[in-house]
Structure formats: structure tokens, C-alpha cells
């Protein structure tokens, strides 16, 4: 209010002033007045305006301080306001200054000070009106919202960052127990545990553990491993306790823990992954040999380096073969190696004209010209590696040159070729005979592959994998299975004790599996193909006999046979195919497989019966083979040509065309070698007094499309001792029952159960 009164008083005072001539007074240089006392009013006003514009405060305030005080002026109602008032006041003050009214005391000091204040305010930008309360409220709302939102956002970020950086001490404690990383799916938040009940149980567990630890120290006894230092969920404790028990020094505890692990089928994925990453080599092999095992127990094979665009598998195989010893080898090993190294995919493609295939060792190519050349060359190389893998020192070279990884790559690339995969697993099984290579085989990822192949519905594939895993398993298997010796039952670990062995030996052109399959039957019209497939047995000793006599170990052997030298796989040494040579070779393999350690029954077909007779006679002359002789409980012969075969007579008659093999020549009728062998066996059998059962064919067999004959006539199948049973089947089907309740199988089963009744406890 005082300011308004002063402003109005100053306005009244200015209106009252009358313009008078300004007296002339001298000025000092540098003063705030006009430059010259004689300067005209216009010039003085110009100087005053210039200086007042630059320094308005000092100019007016200095002059106002010299004026004598006067009384306050009366108020006027017509005083201008705002910018207009500022302009009017500035103009009137300057006029009064130029007239000398201020200096002479005509304007009051208060009025002049108001003019100075107004001049200072108007010298800058125009003054705005003060904001209203509505504007203040709007600004407060916007500002408050921004401040509140920013506070909430910052709080959220801080809490999130704190949660991310929080260290889970329980997870760290678990990681101390192992050196692998696994994925957890269950919560580790202690707030989610089972409340006071869980906490009480955990505290009791700790207290009991401390008491037992103290007791063990006082009495110097081993601490019970069931009370571990790990506190966690019940199922977590069980998992880690089982894993710890699998590494126990006690074999029985270790085997029981592996068996309990294999039974868990309700675990989460991360639990299977934990076992796969933490279990040791023995546990992994034991799990792979467990029936119906979950494949999540095994880590996949390690990833291999990416192949180049011009990468050729056969080139890598050749390099591997070249790195192996090439001198001082078995002739058959040298033959297969030279064959694989000599041929390539380009030369094989060039040989497709067919003329080169006739005669000599090139005949195998004629059989494979319809296949992809690169796969054929790979197969030749793998066959050579099979021969090399039978030599222990060569297995070391294969492992040192990265052969296990190369075979793994080929196996993954050739999943559509069962023959290539079978040869690869055969190599792994041979290398597994050397215990020094077990860790390398496991590290290369072969345990998971073998566990998967064990589940194959094809008996050939699963049996090859079973042999390899049995050679790797040193916890439950004391025997070793060389190449050509396959376990049909049991292929998995079992609590069933093995009390006796049954050994199957195939005949001419036979095999360890296909010879003993169920007889091929036509599919009934009213049955689906899937139903027939389920009922059909690819190997009746593996399915039927194993289910009827689970306490038996059933073994089948395989060896190469041929009718003609045209079909020779290794033609460099024909004497190797003789019965005498094969007998010595098989006896060594069977001895390594533990044959003779238990009661034994021999089952043979065709020429296999002659081989069984020769092995028993040779074993009776070798003191180291006494166990085989003494534990033989009986022999079964399926159409064995004890006195020769008509097939040999036919082949010898056409010898210049058929080139009969050594095996066929030895089967000639009334052969002196066969007569000596038969006499020696009769003497041996009568001395040991073990039973003999013989089956004889009565129907002719079709050999090709034009030849039909009795391969083994009834008089040739008659041994001279034991029971002889004629059966209305041909030579091929004499060892292939039509079904499980057929006479052939039931009579065979009865004979085995009778001769082993004492040993089986029946």
C-alpha cells in the first residue's frame, strides 16, 4: 500500500511541475550530467538518454540524492497504469531533469525514487502478471505425478536388481558336491518349504548326525554314509545318497545303488541330467546294461568339429588305415587293408562296366554295384578296421589317431545303413576287450549310443551292442566276449543267478542269429502285419528259451562259411576254413567267454555239429580244456552229416564250375576225415556218458531254382548213439520251429531241462 501511495504521489507531483528554463552550471569532466555547460537542451537530453539507458540506476539515484526533501504529493485518480504508465513516467522524469526541476527541489525525493524503481523494472523484459491459484494447482498436479512415478520406477528397478544379484547359498552348497552344471526346476526359496514340520525334521537330522559323528570318532568306527552333510528335499537327498553309494568301495552296495537308480522313472528332467553329469564310468555302464533304462540318464555324444564342404569320410578312413602297422600282420588283415586302400569311390564308379568283376577277388564288387560308391568304400574300410581291432596293439593306435571320434561321426551320418553301424559297433566291442581303452570309449560318448541300440527291435543290432557293453562292464561280468561270440541271454544285468550255459553253433552258410529264427510262415488273411510281427521270433533261443529257462546263459557263435571259393571273403589262406583250424580258433574264444565254468549243453546245425564234435575231441586231448569236457551235459544235433552230404558230392562233380570250398570238400560222402572224427567222438561220448539227441530231415531242400535234394539223408544223420528223431521238414527248417508249442522246440526244451535238472534245481 505504501508503494502505491508513493507512485500516485509522484504522479501528482509530476503533473504539477511547470517547465522552466534550466540554469546553466558548470560540469566536471566524467560527471553524470551533460558534457558541456553550454550544450543546448536537445543535446543535453540526448546525452542524458544515452547514459540513462546504459546506467539508469546510478544516473537517477545519484541525482535524486542531491535533491532536497519535499512533502508527499496528493493522490491523483488519473494516473496511468502498466507499460503506459512506465513510459509516461520515464518521459516526465527526463523532462523534469532537463528543465532542472529535480535539481532545484521542485520534485520530492520519494517521487523520484519511485521513478527510479520503475525505470529499473522497465529496463529489462516486460513484467508478467503473477500466476493464479488454478495455474499453481495444475503445475502441482503435473509435478507431483512426475515425482511419484519416478519414485515408483526407481524403487522397482532397485528391487529387481537386488533380486538378480542375490546369491543362493543353497545352490552353492549343492555345487560343492559336484563339478557339473545342471538345470534346476524346483524352487530354492526357503519360504516355500513345509513350514515348522520341515524345519523340525531338519534340525533333528542335524542333531542325530552330530551324535553319530561323535560316536564314530570316539569308538573309531566308520561313519554311516546315509547321514550325509546335505540338507535338502527328501527326493534330493535320495538322489545324492544313491550317487554316493554308486561310488562305494563295497561292490554289493555299488550294484544295489545302480539298480535303484535304474528303477526311477518318475524323476524330472533335471534330475536325470544331474545323474548323467555326476555319475562315474562304472555307474554309466551299469545303467546302460539295465533293462528298460531311461535314456535321459546318459549324456549325448560330444559334438564334433564342423565338417568342411569337401570333407570325405572315406578319405579319413584311409588315413586311419595308413597310420596302422602294415607289416607283420595276419594275412587276412593285410588282404582287407590292401583292398580298402586300393579302391576309391572314383575307381569303383569306373568299374561299373562289370567285366572286371569276373574272377578272382573282385567278386565282392559285383554284389555291391547297386549301392552308393562312397558307402561301399566306407564299408570296405570298416571291414579292414574290424580285422585290425582284433589286434590289441592296433586298438591303441586307432584310439590315439582319433578313431573313436571318427567312428562316432560315421555312425551319426550313416543311420540309414544298418550294416555300416553294425560294423562300427563290432569294432567298439573288439576295442572294449582292452580295459585300458574303457575310459576313452566312455568319453567318446559310446555308452549312450550302445544303450540306445540295446533297445533296438532287431536282434542283430541289439546283440552287437550287448556284447560291447558286456566287455565294458567289469563289475558284473568276469568273462570277455571276443569277436563272433554273442550273448543272447542275459543281455542286461539281472539278479537271477546263472547256473548253466547253452551254446548254439550254426552250420554252412548260417549265422549266429538268422539260423535260429522262427520258421517263416505266410501271413494269415485275418491277422494284421503288426500282430504277426509281434508273434514272430527273430531268434527263438533269445525269446522262447530264455523265458522258459531264465537261469541259463545262452551264447551263439558266428564264423565265416561259404560253398565256393568264388565267395571267399579272405581267400589268401584256404586252410583257415578247415574244421580243424576253426575248432582251435573257437575253443580259444569260448574259453575267454567262460565256457566250461558252468554246466554246458551244445546245440548245433549241419556242419556246426561236425565242429562241435571236433572241439570236444580236441578239448579232451588238451588238459587246459578239461573244464569244457567235464562240464558238458549233453549235445543236440540238427541234421548233422556225420557220414557226409549229397551237397558235397554235387559240388565236387561240378568243381571246375563251382570251385567248392574246403568246408564243402570235407563234407564229401564217406570222407576218411569224417570217419576218423566220428569214431573219436563216439569213443569220447561213451566214455563221458552224456546224452545225445539228433533230429533228421525227411524233405528235400531247394538249392536255387533248378536243384532239389536231401542235403543230409537220414542214414548220414544217424550218429550211432543217442536218440534220432525224423522230422518232416527240409534241411533249412530243421532248426526253425514253426511256433513255440511246435514239436521241434518242445522236444529241444525238454532235453535241455532234463540234462540240466540237477544244476537248475528243478
Amino acid at each position: 500500500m505504501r508503494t502505491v501511495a508513493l507512485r500516485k504521489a509522484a504522479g501528482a507531483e509530476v503533473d504539477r511541475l511547470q517547465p522552466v528554463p534550466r540554469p546553466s552550471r558548470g560540469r566536471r569532466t566524467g560527471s553524470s550530467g551533460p558534457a558541456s555547460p553550454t550544450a543546448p537542451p536537445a543535446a543535453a537530453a540526448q546525452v542524458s538518454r544515452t547514459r540513462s539507458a546504459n546506467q539508469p540506476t546510478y544516473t537517477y539515484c545519484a541525482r535524486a540524492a542531491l535533491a532536497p526533501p519535499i512533502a508527499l504529493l496528493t493522490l491523483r485518480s488519473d494516473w496511468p497504469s502498466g507499460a503506459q504508465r512506465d513510459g509516461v513516467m520515464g518521459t516526465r522524469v527526463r523532462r523534469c531533469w532537463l528543465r532542472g526541476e529535480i535539481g532545484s527541489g521542485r520534485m520530492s525525493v520519494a517521487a523520484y525514487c519511485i521513478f527510479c524503481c520503475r525505470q529499473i523494472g522497465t529496463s529489462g523484459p516486460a513484467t508478467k502478471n503473477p500466476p493464479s491459484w488454478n495455474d499453481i494447482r495444475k503445475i502441482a498436479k503435473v509435478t507431483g505425478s512426475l515425482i511419484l512415478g519416478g519414485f515408483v520406477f526407481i524403487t522397482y528397478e532397485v528391487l529387481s536388481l537386488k533380486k538378480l544379484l542375490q546369491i543362493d547359498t543353497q545352490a552353492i552348497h549343492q555345487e560343492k558336491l559336484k563339478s557339473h552344471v545342471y538345470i534346476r526346476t524346483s524352487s530354492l526359496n526357503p519360504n516355500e518349504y513345509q513350514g515348522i514340520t520341515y524345519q523340525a525334521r531338519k534340525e533333528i537330522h542335524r542333531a542325530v548326525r552330530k551324535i553319530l559323528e561323535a560316536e564314530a570318532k570316539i569308538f573309531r568306527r566308520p561313519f554311516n554314509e546315509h547321514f550325509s552333510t546335505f540338507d535338502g528335499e527328501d527326493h534330493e537327498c535320495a538322489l545324492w545318497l544313491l550317487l554316493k553309494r554308486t561310488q562305494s568301495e563295497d561292490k554289493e552296495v555299488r550294484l544295489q545303488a545302480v539298480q535303484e537308480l535304474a528303477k526311477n522313472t518318475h524323476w524330472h528332467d533335471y534330475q536325470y541330467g544331474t545323474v548323467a553329469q555326476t555319475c562315474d564310468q562304472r555307474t554309466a555302464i551299469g545303467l546302460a546294461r539295465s533293462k528298460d533304462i531311461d535314456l535321459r540318464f546318459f549324456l549325448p555324444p560330444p559334438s564334433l568339429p564342423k565338417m568342411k564342404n569337401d570333407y570325405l569320410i572315406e578319405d579319413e578312413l584311409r588315413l586311419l588305415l595308413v597310420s596302422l602297422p602294415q607289416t607283420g600282420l595276419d594275412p587276412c588283415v593285410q588282404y582287407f587293408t590292401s583292398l580298402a586302400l586300393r579302391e576309391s569311390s572314383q575307381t569303383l564308379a569306373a568299374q561299373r562296366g562289370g567285366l572286371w568283376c569276373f574272377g578272382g577277388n573282385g567278386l565282392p564288387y559285383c554284389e555291391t554295384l547297386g549301392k552308393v560308391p562312397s558307402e561301399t568304400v566306407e564299408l570296405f574300410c570298416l571291414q579292414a578296421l574290424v580285422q585290425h581291432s582284433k589286434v590289441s596293439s592296433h586298438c591303441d593306435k586307432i584310439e590315439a589317431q582319433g578313431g573313436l571320434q571318427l567312428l562316432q561321426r560315421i555312425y551319426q551320418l550313416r543311420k540309414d545303413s544298418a550294416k555300416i553301424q553294425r560294423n562300427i559297433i563290432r569294432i567298439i566291442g573288439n576295442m572294449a576287450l582292452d580295459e585300458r581303452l574303457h575310459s576313452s570309449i566312455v568319453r567318446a560318448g559310446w555308452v549312450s549310443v550302445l544303450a540306445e541300440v540295446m533297445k533296438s527291435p532287431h536282434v542283430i543290432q541289439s546283440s552287437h551292442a550287448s556284447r560291447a557293453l558286456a566287455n565294458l562292464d567289469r563289475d558284473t561280468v568276469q568273462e570277455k566276449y571276443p569277436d563272433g561270440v554273442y550273448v543272447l541271454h542275459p543281455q542286461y544285468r539281472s539278479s537271477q543267478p546263472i547256473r548253466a550255459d547253452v551254446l548254439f553253433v550254426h552250420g554252412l552258410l548260417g549265422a549266429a542269429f538268422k539260423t535260429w529264427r522262427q520258421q517263416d510262415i505266410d501271413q494269415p488273411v485275418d491277422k494284421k502285419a503288426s500282430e504277426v510281427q509281434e508273434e514272430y521270433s527273430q531268434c527263438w533261443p533269445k525269446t522262447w528259451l530264455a523265458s522258459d529257462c531264465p537261469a541259463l546263459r545262452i551264447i551263439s557263435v558266428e564264423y565265416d562259411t561259404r560253398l565256393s571259393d568264388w565267395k571267399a571273403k579272405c581267400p589268401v589262406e584256404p586252410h583257415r576254413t578247415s574244421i580243424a583250424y576253426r575248432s582251435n580258433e573257437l575253443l580259444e574264444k569260448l574259453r575267454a567267454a567262460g565256457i566250461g565254468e558252468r554246466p554246458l549243453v551244445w546245440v548245433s546245425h549241419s556242419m556246426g555239429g561236425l565242429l562241435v564234435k571236433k572241439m570236444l575231441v580236441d578239448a579232451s586231448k588238451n588238459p587246459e580244456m578239461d573244464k569244457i569236457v567235464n562240464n558238458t551235459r549233453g549235445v543236440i544235433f540238427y541234421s548233422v552229416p556225420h557220414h557226409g552230404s549229397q551237397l558235397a558230392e554235387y559240388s565236387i562233380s561240378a568243381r571246375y564250375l563251382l570251385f567248392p570250398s574246403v568246408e564243402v570238400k570235407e563234407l564229401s560222402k564217406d570222407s576218411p576225415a569224417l570217419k576218423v572224427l566220428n569214431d573219436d567222438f563216439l569213443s569220447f561220448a561213451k566214455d563221458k556218458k552224456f546224452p545225445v539227441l539228433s533230429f533228421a530231415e525227411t524233405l528235400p531242400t531247394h538249392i536255387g531254382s533248378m536243384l532239389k535234394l536231401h542235403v543230409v539223408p537220414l542214414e548220414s544223420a544217424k550218429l550211432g548213439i543217442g536218440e534220432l528223431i525224423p522230422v518232416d521238414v527240409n534241411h533249412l527248417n530243421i532248426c526253425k520251429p514253426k511256433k513255440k508249442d511246435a514239436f521241434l522246440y518242445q522236444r529241444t526244451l525238454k532235453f535241455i531241462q532234463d540234462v540240466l535238472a540237477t544244476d537248475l534245481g528243478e
Side-chain angles (χ1 to χ4, degrees):
M1 295 299 293
R2 183 178 181 182
T3 303
V4 176
L6 288 175
R7 287 181 178 178
K8 291 184 178 182
E13 179 66 22
V14 172
D15 292 340
R16 186 178 59 81
L17 294 177
Q18 298 296 328
V20 294
R22 181 182 179 184
S24 177
R25 293 187 297 179
R27 299 284 183 181
R28 291 180 298 177
T29 304
S31 64
S32 60
S36 175
T38 60
Q46 181 67 29
V47 174
S48 176
R49 283 192 295 271
T50 304
R51 290 190 176 183
S52 63
N54 296 331
Q55 296 177 343
T57 302
Y58 301 106
T59 301
Y60 294 140
C61 292
R63 292 182 181 276
L66 299 175
I70 59 175
L72 292 176
L73 304 179
T74 58
L75 299 176
R76 291 188 57 179
S77 60
D78 58 346
W79 182 263
S81 61
Q84 181 181 3
R85 180 176 61 198
D86 296 338
V88 172
M89 289 176 64
T91 302
R92 290 179 179 178
V93 170
R94 284 192 293 271
R95 287 177 182 176
C96 292
W97 185 83
L98 291 175
R99 293 173 184 174
E101 296 174 357
I102 296 176
S104 59
R106 291 187 179 183
M107 177 178 284
S108 66
V109 176
Y112 193 79
C113 289
I114 295 302
F115 297 153
C116 292
C117 293
R118 292 299 300 177
Q119 184 65 24
I120 292 173
T122 57
S123 62
T127 304
K128 296 182 179 180
N129 295 330
S132 62
W133 284 106
N134 292 333
D135 297 335
I136 294 175
R137 283 195 296 269
K138 292 180 180 179
I139 294 173
K141 289 181 180 179
V142 175
T143 306
S145 300
L146 292 176
I147 294 175
L148 181 60
F151 178 76
V152 172
F153 176 76
I154 293 173
T155 304
Y156 173 77
E157 291 296 327
V158 170
L159 293 177
S160 300
L161 183 61
K162 183 179 179 181
K163 185 177 180 180
L164 291 175
L165 296 179
Q166 186 176 3
I167 298 176
D168 195 334
T169 56
Q170 186 177 356
I172 294 176
H173 179 70
Q174 291 185 5
E175 290 300 326
K176 291 180 181 178
L177 302 178
K178 57 186 177 56
S179 59
H180 302 271
V181 178
Y182 59 93
I183 300 175
R184 292 298 305 254
T185 57
S186 62
S187 175
L188 295 176
N189 186 3
N191 296 327
E192 297 182 8
Y193 294 162
Q194 294 89 340
I196 189 172
T197 304
Y198 176 83
Q199 297 296 333
R201 186 172 67 249
K202 187 165 66 172
E203 292 300 329
I204 294 174
H205 175 78
R206 289 178 179 175
V208 172
R209 184 180 65 239
K210 291 180 180 179
I211 294 173
L212 293 176
E213 286 178 350
E215 181 185 2
K217 291 180 180 179
I218 294 173
F219 295 100
R220 296 181 179 180
R221 295 185 306 184
F223 179 63
N224 192 346
E225 63 178 5
H226 288 276
F227 295 93
S228 66
T229 58
F230 172 71
D231 293 319
E233 292 292 336
D234 293 339
H235 62 279
E236 297 292 344
C237 291
L239 188 154
W240 288 106
L241 286 175
L242 283 176
L243 284 174
K244 189 174 182 180
R245 288 169 55 196
T246 58
Q247 301 177 11
S248 173
E249 296 298 329
D250 190 339
K251 182 179 177 180
E252 295 298 328
V253 173
R254 189 166 63 245
L255 296 180
Q256 182 64 27
V258 173
Q259 185 178 358
E260 293 179 11
L261 269 179
K263 291 180 179 179
N264 287 282
T265 58
H266 58 279
W267 280 353
H268 298 288
D269 288 342
Y270 81 90
Q271 292 173 302
Y272 290 106
T274 300
V275 176
Q277 295 173 26
T278 56
C279 67
D280 59 2
Q281 173 180 309
R282 293 180 305 187
T283 303
I285 295 172
L287 290 173
R289 294 197 70 236
S290 301
K291 193 172 184 180
D292 300 326
I293 191 66
D294 196 313
L295 295 180
R296 289 177 292 178
F297 274 115
F298 310 100
L299 292 175
S303 57
L304 300 174
K306 188 176 181 180
M307 296 186 303
K308 299 179 180 179
N309 294 332
D310 56 348
Y311 180 88
L312 294 176
I313 294 292
E314 57 265 27
D315 293 339
E316 294 293 329
L317 284 172
R318 290 193 194 94
L319 290 176
L320 179 59
L321 287 175
V322 169
S323 66
L324 300 178
Q326 303 297 323
T327 58
L329 299 179
D330 181 269
C332 281
V333 177
Q334 289 182 338
Y335 169 77
F336 281 105
T337 303
S338 62
L339 180 65
L341 294 176
R342 185 177 70 242
E343 304 304 329
S344 64
S345 58
Q346 291 80 9
T347 57
L348 184 60
Q351 293 164 357
R352 283 200 158 192
L355 294 177
W356 186 85
C357 293
F358 287 96
N361 300 333
L363 186 62
Y365 290 105
C366 296
E367 302 174 354
T368 57
L369 289 181
K371 299 180 181 178
V372 178
S374 61
E375 293 186 7
T376 304
V377 175
E378 291 173 17
L379 189 56
F380 286 144
C381 293
L382 291 174
Q383 289 174 348
L385 282 177
V386 168
Q387 303 300 323
H388 280 280
S389 64
K390 296 178 182 179
V391 184
S392 178
S393 60
H394 293 199
C395 291
D396 295 335
K397 294 287 185 180
I398 293 174
E399 189 272 334
Q401 296 296 327
L404 291 172
Q405 290 75 19
L406 176 60
L407 293 175
Q408 185 72 255
R409 185 187 298 278
I410 299 173
Y411 186 90
Q412 301 299 331
L413 290 176
R414 302 301 185 192
K415 286 184 176 286
D416 56 340
S417 176
K419 196 169 185 179
I420 287 179
Q421 290 191 334
R422 189 161 59 247
N423 276 279
I424 291 175
I425 297 178
R426 187 178 173 186
I427 295 171
I428 300 300
N430 292 342
M431 296 180 67
L433 291 171
D434 190 347
E435 294 186 28
R436 298 173 302 166
L437 301 178
H438 286 187
S439 59
S440 299
I441 294 173
V442 174
R443 286 197 304 269
W446 282 106
V447 173
S448 61
V449 174
L450 296 175
E452 182 179 3
V453 179
M454 284 280 286
K455 295 178 175 290
S456 173
H458 303 288
V459 63
I460 300 178
Q461 305 293 97
S462 61
S463 297
H464 277 278
S466 173
R467 168 181 168 259
L469 285 173
N471 287 335
L472 288 172
D473 187 6
R474 296 296 90 193
D475 259 358
T476 60
V477 182
Q478 287 73 40
E479 304 85 8
K480 293 184 178 180
Y481 299 99
D483 187 58
V485 180
Y486 302 97
V487 180
L488 302 180
H489 174 81
Q491 292 187 343
Y492 300 97
R493 283 187 176 182
S494 174
S495 58
Q496 173 70 48
I498 302 300
R499 304 186 183 279
D501 294 333
V502 177
L503 180 63
F504 287 81
V505 184
H506 66 81
L508 193 64
L509 300 181
F513 310 103
K514 70 176 184 179
T515 295
W516 311 107
R517 69 182 185 272
Q518 182 181 350
Q519 182 177 335
D520 300 330
I521 55 177
D522 297 331
Q523 177 179 338
V525 180
D526 57 342
K527 284 191 176 183
K528 298 181 180 179
S530 59
E531 296 178 356
V532 175
Q533 187 67 23
E534 290 179 359
E535 296 176 359
Y536 183 79
S537 174
Q538 299 179 16
C539 183
W540 60 264
K542 182 179 183 296
T543 54
W544 300 346
L545 184 59
S547 63
D548 291 332
C549 300
L552 295 178
R553 182 179 65 153
I554 304 173
I555 295 178
S556 182
V557 299
E558 185 167 280
Y559 55 95
D560 296 328
T561 62
R562 61 188 186 277
L563 288 173
S564 170
D565 282 338
W566 285 91
K567 301 283 289 183
K569 289 186 177 181
C570 179
V572 291
E573 291 186 349
H575 74 277
R576 290 184 169 224
T577 60
S578 65
I579 294 178
Y581 183 88
R582 293 192 187 279
S583 171
N584 293 327
E585 185 180 40
L586 279 179
L587 276 175
E588 292 298 329
K589 292 183 176 181
L590 294 177
R591 184 182 178 187
I595 294 295
E597 300 295 332
R598 305 181 185 91
L600 174 64
V601 175
W602 302 76
V603 182
S604 59
H605 172 243
S606 187
M607 192 190 76
L610 302 179
L611 189 56
V612 168
K613 289 162 57 177
K614 181 63 176 174
M615 284 191 288
L616 286 173
V617 171
D618 290 345
S620 65
K621 300 176 182 179
N622 187 351
E624 296 181 356
M625 302 290 181
D626 283 343
K627 290 183 178 180
I628 294 179
V629 175
N630 296 329
N631 281 323
T632 296
R633 296 291 187 266
V635 182
I636 298 177
F637 295 114
Y638 288 104
S639 290
V640 175
H642 300 290
H643 306 287
S645 170
Q646 292 186 0
L647 179 63
E649 295 296 323
Y650 182 84
S651 300
I652 292 174
S653 300
R655 58 185 177 276
Y656 297 109
L657 178 62
L658 298 179
F659 294 97
S661 62
V662 174
E663 299 103 307
V664 173
K665 292 177 182 179
E666 289 182 334
L667 295 178
S668 59
K669 191 174 181 181
D670 297 326
S671 168
L674 288 182
K675 188 176 186 308
V676 172
L677 175 61
N678 194 60
D679 293 341
D680 291 343
F681 179 76
L682 286 176
S683 175
F684 164 75
K686 291 177 182 179
D687 180 52
K688 296 299 179 182
K689 297 180 181 180
F690 54 76
V692 175
L693 175 64
S694 300
F695 293 95
E697 62 195 69
T698 60
L699 299 180
T701 304
H702 291 274
I703 308 297
S705 58
M706 301 179 62
L707 186 61
K708 183 178 181 181
L709 51 84
H710 276 87
V711 178
V712 180
L714 185 61
E715 58 273 13
S716 182
K718 185 180 296 184
L719 176 62
I721 59 172
E723 183 181 5
L724 176 65
I725 302 177
V727 183
D728 292 335
V729 292
N730 59 26
H731 184 73
L732 297 179
N733 292 331
I734 190 66
C735 57
K736 300 177 178 61
K738 286 186 176 181
K739 49 187 177 179
K740 190 174 181 179
D741 58 357
F743 171 77
L744 267 175
Y745 173 72
Q746 291 298 325
R747 186 67 184 87
T748 300
L749 176 63
K750 185 177 185 303
F751 177 85
I752 293 174
Q753 290 175 338
D754 290 343
V755 298
L756 294 176
T758 303
D759 303 294
L760 297 179
E762 296 179 358

